[in-house]
Amino acid sequence: MTEIKNINDLLGKSLQDLKNLQGSEKESFEQALKDAIKEASQVEQEAQKAIESFSKGELSIHQVVLAMEKADMTLQTLIQVRNKVLTAYDEIWRMQV
Amino acid sequence: MDDSIKLLEKIMDICAYRQKILASNIANADTPKYKAKDLNFQEELKRAVETDEQSYKIIEASTTMPNRDENTVNIEVEMTKVAETMLMYNTATQLISTKIRMIKSAVKGGS
């Protein structure tokens, strides 16, 4: 699961500083979004596997419920991010140039 | 669509059926010569998923020792089984409702 990062590291920096980020610190927005979608799908598959092993009696109740809630939370977050991105896109599209 | 909804549905079916069997065991706690019944959860679930059958094989529950009148119902054991079955059923319910909520939010796109 992608770690929730503190944005304070970014807030103190100027635009020039941000442009000069190197290596793993630098990540395109597109790539971040793609990774998030991939990960949400992966978490959901894990939840399904958890249900399968639960039905075989291999996994205990709390583990399967946690896996399911994790998948739910990831999906809800993804949906909210998607909605924000679309709103941003709409706003840019309407912008007067 | 994925299999987990079907799987959970089967789990709930079997739990509900097992609950019925256990209830009839408790009801017959004083019946002479009555043998306590049960079903093998794992086996039945496997069979239900593979063959899509609705009938379950009822087995005679293993017992510690027969009571008077050759009755094999032990109320404490039955109550434990009831609690176990209920826990399983409630978990399946919770999982299926989360699953359905996820699908609904995907359809509605949040909000």
Side-chain angles (χ1 to χ4, degrees), chain B residues 58-96:
Chain B
I58 299 170
I59 55 170
E60 242 175 55
S62 58
T63 177
T64 44
M65 60 177 268
N67 306 357
R68 71 238 176 273
D69 312 331
E70 291 168 53
N71 181 309
T72 61
V73 179
N74 183 335
I75 291 286
E76 282 82 18
V77 171
E78 298 302 321
M79 294 314 272
T80 316
K81 281 179 183 170
V82 167
E84 187 189 26
T85 312
M86 252 169 82
L87 192 61
M88 193 83 181
Y89 187 87
N90 287 342
T91 312
T93 317
Q94 198 185 336
L95 289 174
I96 208 168

Side-chain angles (χ1 to χ4, degrees), chain A:
Chain A
M1 210 170 176
T2 311
E3 266 183 80
I4 296 171
K5 288 175 203 148
N6 197 336
I7 62 165
N8 282 341
D9 294 351
L10 297 175
L11 288 180
K13 286 177 181 144
S14 68
L15 190 61
Q16 198 55 47
D17 286 342
L18 290 177
K19 272 182 185 165
N20 289 336
L21 284 177
Q22 292 295 326
S24 62
E25 288 178 313
K26 193 173 179 178
E27 196 177 20
S28 74
F29 181 69
E30 184 198 358
Q31 195 55 44
L33 210 59
K34 270 185 186 167
D35 285 350
I37 293 169
K38 239 182 238 169
E39 208 160 293
S41 150
Q42 200 190 331
V43 171
E44 208 201 316
Q45 275 168 12
E46 272 170 26
Q48 201 187 326
K49 274 193 202 117
I51 290 177
E52 274 164 28
S53 9
F54 168 67
S55 73
K56 285 176 194 143
E58 290 162 0
L59 214 61
S60 51
I61 287 171
H62 62 271
Q63 280 170 315
V64 68
V65 171
L66 277 177
M68 200 69 208
E69 289 300 324
K70 194 169 150 187
D72 187 30
M73 210 159 69
T74 316
L75 181 73
Q76 302 298 338
T77 314
L78 183 68
I79 288 170
Q80 293 307 325
V81 170
R82 186 204 71 156
N83 288 350
K84 287 285 178 201
V85 170
L86 281 180
T87 313
Y89 170 78
D90 266 353
E91 240 167 77
I92 293 168
W93 191 68
R94 276 182 238 281
M95 203 181 272
Q96 295 280 342
V97 278

Side-chain angles (χ1 to χ4, degrees), chain B residues 5-16:
Chain B
I5 287 186
K6 193 180 154 200
L7 199 58
L8 290 168
E9 199 188 324
K10 299 281 183 206
I11 291 177
M12 283 156 80
D13 274 349
I14 295 171
C15 282

Side-chain angles (χ1 to χ4, degrees), chain A residues 54-57, chain B residues 40-47 88:
Chain A
F54 168 67
S55 73
K56 285 176 194 143
Chain B
N40 188 330
F41 188 86
Q42 293 302 330
E43 235 170 61
E44 293 305 317
L45 183 65
K46 202 174 156 211
R47 208 159 54 93
M88 193 83 181

